[in-house]
Amino acid sequence: MTTTTTSLAEEILELKKERRAVILAHHYQESEIQELADVIGDSLELSRKAQQYDGDVIAFCGVWFMAETAKILNPDRTVIVPDKDAGCSLVDSCPVEQVRAFKHRYPDHVVVAYINTSAAVKAESDIICTSRNAVQVVQSIPADKPILFLPDINLGNYVKKETGRENIRIWQGACIVHATFAARKLTQARAEHPNALVAAHPECPPDVLKMADYIGSTSGIIDWCVTHSHDEFIVMTESGVQHSLHRRAPGKKFYFVHNENCNCSECPYMKRNSLEKLRDCLQTLEPRMELSREIMERARRPIDAMLALK
Ligand code: 13P
Ligand code: SF4
């Protein structure tokens, strides 16, 4: 850490105490943010942990839909975010009006929404899922019920394949980071590192997933690489997971494949957050998540339906 980073970190820890705040950080956050967090996790863990912590304020370092979920689960607490423009391409691909139009046309479908959706879309859904439990959530729905799975096409196709379910319609949304990982680049990486195993997030395209030795959520990928007897891995997800990988398995080697959008494997939305913005939001309690009681109550039902699955 540089001197500026150290003093910023001290300021943040001081403010955190004053505000009685808990800092939650997704695995895709910059390392210096992860180092200050009370909890680092994938979207399912962060939703659960948000409820288990005491304190008046939740400072959510991730993207907007994750902070919305934290607010829905903690309606009486103040939820703040470092940057309100930290969005998600999957959320943008799924406007609530289109979901309502679909429901109107196909009222018999059970709506399974990935957690990467807006609160308004969650309010229209029957059950939420994350990359960690999507297969389990779909399996919990009676086999004769048709399903609308939204909004990630790659996760939807993966779930369809894993469950062998035919009566599932899949939205056409995609993650700008994972959907642009190319199989040809993974093939190249495997040629360069012939002893490495491949771990991939299910938002990757099917030809990438076909080459994976393990498919799972961000925490799933980290746990699998850390506990596996092997010591070299090609990791097909956002490079922020390096923080936990190197901390928990310092002797192992991890290789990241660049996606087609940039010479990196970073989510531009997640990377909008910074230590300065985290300090500022703890100081001013802005930007603050505000949702109507009605939306929170309606969106909570499908989240609780997911959390009730063990
Ligand atoms: P996780 O549920 O694995 O944390 O994924 C969230 C996400 O946004 C992946 O791009
Ligand atoms: Fe959304 Fe993709 Fe960024 Fe995850 S990595 S927050 S799915 S844009």
Side-chain angles (χ1 to χ4, degrees), residues 44 48 128 175 225 229:
L44 178 59
R48 287 191 196 276
I128 304 303
C175 159
C225 294
S229 56

Side-chain angles (χ1 to χ4, degrees), residues 218-250:
T218 48
S219 289
I221 289 173
I222 293 166
D223 291 342
W224 185 77
C225 294
V226 167
T227 55
H228 202 287
S229 56
H230 223 75
D231 58 8
E232 264 188 82
F233 302 88
I234 299 169
V235 182
M236 304 299 288
T237 190
E238 215 265 7
S239 52
V241 297
Q242 285 184 92
H243 179 79
S244 294
L245 286 172
H246 290 305
R247 188 173 46 82
R248 290 179 56 195

Side-chain angles (χ1 to χ4, degrees), residues 30 177 181 237-240 259 262 264-269 271:
E30 298 282 10
V177 181
F181 282 133
T237 190
E238 215 265 7
S239 52
N259 65 28
C262 66
C264 68
S265 22
E266 293 192 340
C267 171
Y269 301 107
K271 285 343 194 223

Side-chain angles (χ1 to χ4, degrees), residues 26 28 41-44 65-66 114-116 130-132 175 178 201 203 217-219 270:
H26 189 267
Y28 298 165
D42 65 15
S43 42
L44 178 59
F65 77 81
M66 294 180 179
Y114 190 26
I115 198 159
N116 298 38
T130 74
S131 56
R132 185 190 272 248
C175 159
H178 294 88
H201 195 281
E203 291 171 11
S217 73
T218 48
S219 289
M270 287 276 181

Side-chain angles (χ1 to χ4, degrees), residues 84-149:
K84 73 173 176 23
D85 294 326
C88 172
S89 62
L90 282 169
V91 174
D92 296 343
S93 73
C94 194
V96 68
E97 300 74 25
Q98 288 180 18
V99 176
R100 286 198 194 111
F102 180 95
K103 284 177 60 174
H104 187 69
R105 195 156 164 210
Y106 300 104
D108 57 336
H109 280 54
V110 175
V111 180
V112 179
Y114 190 26
I115 198 159
N116 298 38
T117 44
S118 66
V121 167
K122 287 187 177 75
E124 297 292 336
S125 305
D126 296 296
I127 187 162
I128 304 303
C129 71
T130 74
S131 56
R132 185 190 272 248
N133 62 17
V135 170
Q136 186 195 3
V137 165
V138 166
Q139 280 168 340
S140 76
I141 296 161
D144 60 332
K145 287 264 183 205
I147 291 175
L148 168 65
F149 187 94

